[in-house]
């Protein structure tokens, strides 16, 4: 039963991400919440971490930064305990988005710099590129144009290497 429950929890997380990508926040929340409950019942800490992260991202998408912050900080704690570096780095990145939205650029830069280092160590080019893009955006907003251009150019090269068309478009827009 535990294997079936673990598979169900992962499937619910995937369905939640799909619902989120379609803008169905209520459905995404329900799916991720169910995944979280199952994961906690069976003690799958990695899936708990990802469910918390996904719930946090949905809260960010809805502009509920207080809820998102709490979920993502819990995600950090669980991911660290489960030794899930990818989830930990993702939570740092998402917390950086919250800090940026609150105009706390120093905190955003610190979080994204930590996230970048972890994604590089994991060899995750797609998420490395996104962290570089985030850091480039902050640099650009602070008039550090040479630094911004270098960060965004590196991001663009990585995005092209993994074929991330949406990321390429976003980064080209930032470079312009």
């Amino acid at each position: 039963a535990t294997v079936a429950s673990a598979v169900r929890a992962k499937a619910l997380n995937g369905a939640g991400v799909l619902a989120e990508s379609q803008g169905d926040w209520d459905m995404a929340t329900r799916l991720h919440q169910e995944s979280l409950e199952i994961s906690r019942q069976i003690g799958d800490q990695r899936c708990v971490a990802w469910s918390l992260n996904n719930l946090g991202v949905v809260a960010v998408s809805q502009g509920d930064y207080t809820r998102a912050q709490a979920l993502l900080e819990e995600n950090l704690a669980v991911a660290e305990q489960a030794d899930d570096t990818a989830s930990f780095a993702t939570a740092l990145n998402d917390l950086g988005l919250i800090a940026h939205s609150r105009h706390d650029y120093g905190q955003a830069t610190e979080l994204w710099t930590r996230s970048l280092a972890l994604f590089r160590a994991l060899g995750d080019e797609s998420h490395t590129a996104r962290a570089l893009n985030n850091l480039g955006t902050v640099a650009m907003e602070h008039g550090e144009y040479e630094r911004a251009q270098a960060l965004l150019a590196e991001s663009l090269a990585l995005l092209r290497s993994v074929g991330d068309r949406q990321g390429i478009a976003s980064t080209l827009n930032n470079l312009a």
Side-chain angles (χ1 to χ4, degrees), residues 70-81:
L71 288 162
L72 292 168
E73 285 176 358
E74 186 179 355
N75 171 204
L76 279 179
V78 173
E80 186 172 38
Q81 182 182 16

Side-chain angles (χ1 to χ4, degrees), residues 60-117:
V60 167
S61 299
Q62 294 177 297
D64 187 348
Y65 298 123
T66 302
R67 183 172 192 276
Q69 180 106 21
L71 288 162
L72 292 168
E73 285 176 358
E74 186 179 355
N75 171 204
L76 279 179
V78 173
E80 186 172 38
Q81 182 182 16
D83 198 27
D84 188 338
T85 305
S87 181
F88 190 87
T90 301
L92 289 173
N93 184 70
D94 295 338
L95 285 164
L97 294 172
I98 294 170
H100 186 260
S101 73
R102 291 179 169 158
H103 307 289
D104 187 345
Y105 303 118
Q107 179 72 7
T109 298
E110 179 186 323
L111 290 163
W112 287 334
T113 300
R114 288 176 62 200
S115 177
L116 173 62

Side-chain angles (χ1 to χ4, degrees), residues 9-23:
K10 287 183 174 93
L12 286 164
N13 252 337
V17 170
L18 183 59
E20 181 194 343
S21 73
Q22 296 172 340

